[in-house]
Amino acid sequence: MLRINNIKLPIDHQDEDIKKEIAKKLNISSKEIQEVRIIKRSIDARKKNDMIYFVYNVDFKVEDEDKLKNNSLVMISPEKEYILPAQGEELLTTRPIIIGSGPSGLFAGLILAEAGFEPIILERGKAVEERKKDVNLFWKKGVLNIESNVQFGEGGAGTFSDGKLNTLIKDKNNRIRKMLEEFVKAGAPEEILYVNKPHIGTDKLEIAVKNIRKKIISLGGSVLFESKVTDIIIKNGKVKGVVVNGNEKIYSDVIILAIGHSARDTFELLFNKGITIKQKPFSIGVRIEHLKELIDKSQYGKFYNHPRLKAADYKLSHRAKNGRAVYTFCMCPGGYVVASASEENMVVTNGMSEFARDNVNSNSAILVSVEPSDYPSNHPLAGVEFQRNFEKKAYAISNSYYAPVQLFGDFLRNKKSVKFKAVKPSYKPGTIFYDINNIYPEYITDALKEGILAMGKKLRGFSSYDSLLTGVETRSSSPVRIERNENYESISTEGLYPIGEGAGYAGGITSSAVDGIRVAESIIKRYKKGW
Ligand code: FAD
């Protein structure tokens, strides 16, 4: 196959026009082009009130490739297959254990299963079908299950999400491609293979994670739900196994720790076992909600309602006068602000959407960077205490999981809002008007005010009076790092592999999944199956 980039076509083009445009650019007949495969599609809306374009990178086949050999617009397609490494030399006599079935654990499990290592995945939460009932009960009635919620259960924190898969990490080894292809085989929409900013949506993610679980099991792996690791067995600095739910022991010399950023009790267990954990910077803030139509109009101009365009996204940032980074994060076009607590009597926000991204509001986290020097002490888990403090304050306002909300115009003026304007909150089980200035310290609220105003200059309407703030968004990434060496093993404990977001080595679904794949590969290269 050959590759050509930057095929730019007006938004209303037909499929056939891609072939025609390639032919025109290369000065050949479109009949010579036998096959066309879209590798990437992005949107060019820079002249949004004139025309919006789709821009394609395309692989294509022609009978006589030599004819185009010297054409500078064309190259041999760099597309490669993902290749599973061969097993190593060291004998592993126990099945590897993976703690956690989020993107990092799930993909580590899939790769190990494909290589014949029959992993055992232990997940504290429930299978997705059962988990969904618990999450809905929390959202409808405020009844929280601390083991089965938005953070814990099959698929991890990403299951009830927007399922954005874009990432800034590079993909030299085709691991991202592998992840995307596995998601598609498991039921995710095929377009994630080529759209510039792929997203699955919570409705399709539920199906995909369930099917990946089935595949792991069909390859000899096991996935055990409601199986919380409550202790790790360590002898002479090496892992030997785990204790599940306080009683059952499972032995293994290889344990992958894929616990996510909200397993605070497990962080504490690790700390008490002497496993090296350090403080790490992260960010906190609020969700900001606008009418989807406002964001779509700002981004797409007169095309805002065009049937070929989905809800518009944005990515904005600002450096505040006090030195803090302020940025939008985990933007959910046409989505919902969701209650995401995993501990009792604490309020936590996050965002999600369905594949269609067709809710009336669009939302995003708006975050301010925080450093270990902001935390209450030097204790490795002080970042968790820092988060809890704000989550408890938010809960205490109404003594319920209702989240504090405030119109941005009122937030600027330090006054409690009294009535919603155009934007109604999507957060459930409910909201309560409150002055968010009373929750966070000034270095956060000042940076938020300055940041949102600056962003309003870049995106029309972003800082309007009735933009709605909902708090508190405290779980943007892990407040700790579980230190590992160049072989991905814990620096304190042999055989323990901390991976993914909770360990501090990834942020988001894709980078967590890629970290899981990378670490699984290194285990495969080291060991051969010996049972
Ligand atoms: P997690 O997904 O957190 O998985 C960890 C798993 O380990 C959990 O299932 C947990 O139950 C389990 N576990 C923890 N402790 C134990 C124990 N002791 N024993 C057994 N099991 C245990 N990222 C994106 O890239 N795009 C998005 O659109 C997006 N939207 C999000 C929306 C929401 C509502 C949330 C909460 C997060 C969102 N994220 C998104 C972030 C993303 O979900 C995480 O970055 C990602 O899931 C991290 O993967 P992980 O495997 O490291 O950990």
Side-chain angles (χ1 to χ4, degrees):
M1 292 284 253
L2 298 173
R3 166 84 45 97
I4 184 165
N5 295 334
N6 282 318
I7 301 293
K8 187 168 166 180
L9 292 164
I11 187 166
D12 285 316
H13 75 81
Q14 305 296 310
D15 287 354
E16 200 51 27
D17 295 334
I18 300 178
K19 224 184 218 186
K20 287 185 192 154
E21 186 64 15
I22 300 172
K24 195 167 125 198
K25 277 197 155 195
L26 300 178
N27 208 10
I28 58 174
S29 155
S30 64
K31 290 199 186 102
E32 287 180 65
I33 302 171
Q34 296 164 342
E35 193 187 323
V36 169
R37 195 169 139 213
I38 300 166
I39 298 300
K40 188 169 157 200
R41 188 187 74 197
S42 44
I43 294 169
D44 182 349
R46 282 174 297 180
K47 296 188 177 145
K48 51 180 170 276
N49 284 320
D50 178 11
M51 177 51 72
I52 288 186
Y53 297 90
F54 283 128
V55 184
Y56 296 93
N57 294 352
V58 173
D59 278 359
F60 66 101
K61 231 185 216 168
V62 286
E63 191 142 82
D64 183 9
E65 284 196 356
D66 281 352
K67 187 173 157 187
L68 296 171
K69 202 167 62 187
N70 295 322
N71 193 319
S72 63
L73 295 176
V74 170
M75 61 175 134
I76 301 288
S77 168
E79 201 71 0
K80 282 193 238 119
E81 294 268 297
Y82 171 79
I83 299 171
L84 206 62
Q87 292 192 9
E89 289 304 314
E90 219 174 301
L91 204 65
L92 182 66
T93 56
T94 53
R95 293 169 70 185
I97 290 175
I98 299 170
I99 311 174
S101 73
S104 63
L106 200 64
F107 277 90
L110 181 64
I111 297 298
L112 286 172
E114 287 186 337
F117 279 90
E118 301 168 346
I120 302 169
I121 301 182
L122 300 171
E123 169 55 57
R124 69 195 292 165
K126 296 184 188 171
V128 72
E129 306 88 334
E130 291 304 307
R131 178 185 183 194
K132 207 173 153 187
K133 292 180 197 159
D134 294 326
V135 170
N136 278 328
L137 187 66
F138 180 48
W139 288 347
K140 282 194 183 129
K141 302 212 163 139
V143 180
L144 176 68
N145 180 334
I146 57 166
E147 297 299 345
S148 175
N149 48 55
V150 172
Q151 310 288 352
F152 298 157
E154 182 168 25
T159 304
F160 298 93
S161 81
D162 176 55
K164 272 177 292 299
L165 301 177
N166 43 312
T167 174
L168 296 175
I169 61 169
K170 298 263 174 287
D171 191 25
K172 278 204 308 252
N173 302 80
N174 290 303
R175 293 179 183 125
I176 297 180
R177 184 83 197 170
K178 167 75 175 164
M179 179 204 76
L180 293 172
E181 282 172 357
E182 290 299 335
F183 268 134
V184 170
K185 282 186 217 159
E190 199 150 344
E191 65 161 51
I192 64 168
L193 295 174
Y194 59 82
V195 295
N196 188 30
K197 294 180 186 167
H199 98 106
I200 302 187
T202 189
D203 45 339
K204 312 258 175 195
L205 259 166
E206 282 166 37
I207 300 165
V209 296
K210 188 169 74 181
N211 287 333
I212 294 175
R213 174 231 303 170
K214 287 184 179 163
K215 184 165 179 181
I216 293 171
I217 294 170
S218 75
L219 291 166
S222 311
V223 184
L224 308 178
F225 296 108
E226 297 178 72
S227 298
K228 174 160 133 184
V229 169
T230 47
D231 200 2
I232 298 191
I233 306 164
I234 303 172
K235 280 202 183 118
N236 303 327
K238 290 185 186 176
V239 290
K240 289 288 156 205
V242 295
V243 178
V244 179
N245 295 334
N247 51 52
E248 190 195 348
K249 285 186 181 142
I250 307 178
Y251 294 98
S252 180
D253 294 327
V254 167
I255 297 176
I256 296 179
L257 197 60
I259 56 175
H261 60 36
S262 287
R264 293 164 167 178
D265 50 357
T266 313
F267 287 155
E268 224 166 292
L269 163 73
L270 300 172
F271 173 73
N272 291 335
K273 301 296 284 187
I275 292 160
T276 307
I277 304 188
K278 295 214 164 122
Q279 296 184 339
K280 172 183 151 303
F282 66 106
S283 301
I284 58 173
V286 291
R287 278 273 145 182
I288 186 162
E289 251 182 312
H290 302 92
L291 287 178
K292 171 169 116 30
E293 188 175 289
L294 178 132
I295 302 297
D296 291 354
K297 279 184 175 162
S298 300
Q299 298 292 55
Y300 295 147
K302 67 176 186 187
F303 291 92
Y304 79 96
N305 240 342
H306 196 284
R308 291 183 87 171
L309 293 172
K310 269 192 172 181
D313 66 2
Y314 55 77
K315 193 169 185 200
L316 301 164
S317 62
H318 175 74
R319 176 69 61 180
K321 281 198 224 79
N322 65 8
R324 307 273 170 169
V326 191
Y327 58 98
T328 60
F329 180 75
C330 187
M331 201 256 147
C332 297
Y336 304 83
V337 179
V338 289
S340 307
S342 55
E343 287 182 314
E344 267 161 4
N345 305 342
M346 296 183 214
V347 166
V348 182
T349 57
N350 211 306
M352 72 160 217
S353 64
E354 297 189 324
F355 179 64
R357 284 181 165 169
D358 57 359
N359 187 33
V360 65
N361 288 350
S362 288
N363 73 73
S364 171
I366 174 144
L367 301 177
V368 178
S369 58
V370 296
E371 296 290 329
S373 54
D374 299 315
Y375 306 165
S377 75
N378 290 330
H379 189 285
L381 303 184
V384 172
E385 266 331 292
F386 181 75
Q387 291 172 316
R388 273 188 180 133
N389 171 36
F390 302 120
E391 294 170 12
K392 283 179 190 164
K393 267 190 176 177
Y395 182 91
I397 295 162
S398 64
N399 220 13
S400 80
Y401 294 103
Y402 278 35
V405 286
Q406 188 171 26
L407 273 56
F408 176 62
D410 294 329
F411 177 61
L412 273 181
R413 291 162 185 78
N414 297 353
K415 68 172 203 200
K416 185 167 119 175
S417 303
V418 286
K419 130 164 168 244
F420 296 115
K421 295 197 174 178
V423 189
K424 309 285 184 294
S426 58
Y427 178 97
K428 287 185 181 123
T431 57
I432 176 157
F433 285 121
Y434 190 72
D435 183 4
I436 290 172
N437 291 286
N438 295 330
I439 300 178
Y440 282 131
E442 264 179 13
Y443 63 81
I444 299 291
T445 52
D446 286 353
L448 281 173
K449 287 172 186 167
E450 190 189 324
I452 295 171
L453 286 173
M455 289 169 192
K457 294 195 178 122
K458 297 178 194 160
L459 189 71
R460 195 192 302 175
F462 190 83
S463 58
S464 55
Y465 198 106
D466 71 344
S467 305
L468 192 65
L469 309 182
T470 309
V472 290
E473 185 102 0
T474 44
R475 311 256 188 112
S476 59
S477 73
S478 187
V480 301
R481 173 161 293 124
I482 308 170
E483 297 269 312
R484 66 187 190 191
N485 63 24
E486 61 288 357
N487 301 322
Y488 309 111
E489 269 178 301
S490 153
I491 59 167
S492 57
T493 315
E494 219 180 295
L496 185 71
Y497 294 83
I499 66 168
E501 179 145 26
Y505 293 99
I509 295 170
T510 299
S511 65
S512 299
V514 166
D515 196 45
I517 295 175
R518 187 191 295 125
V519 174
E521 286 168 3
S522 97
I523 293 168
I524 296 165
K525 284 187 208 155
R526 177 169 169 184
Y527 290 107
K528 68 175 168 215
K529 182 181 164 187
W531 63 93

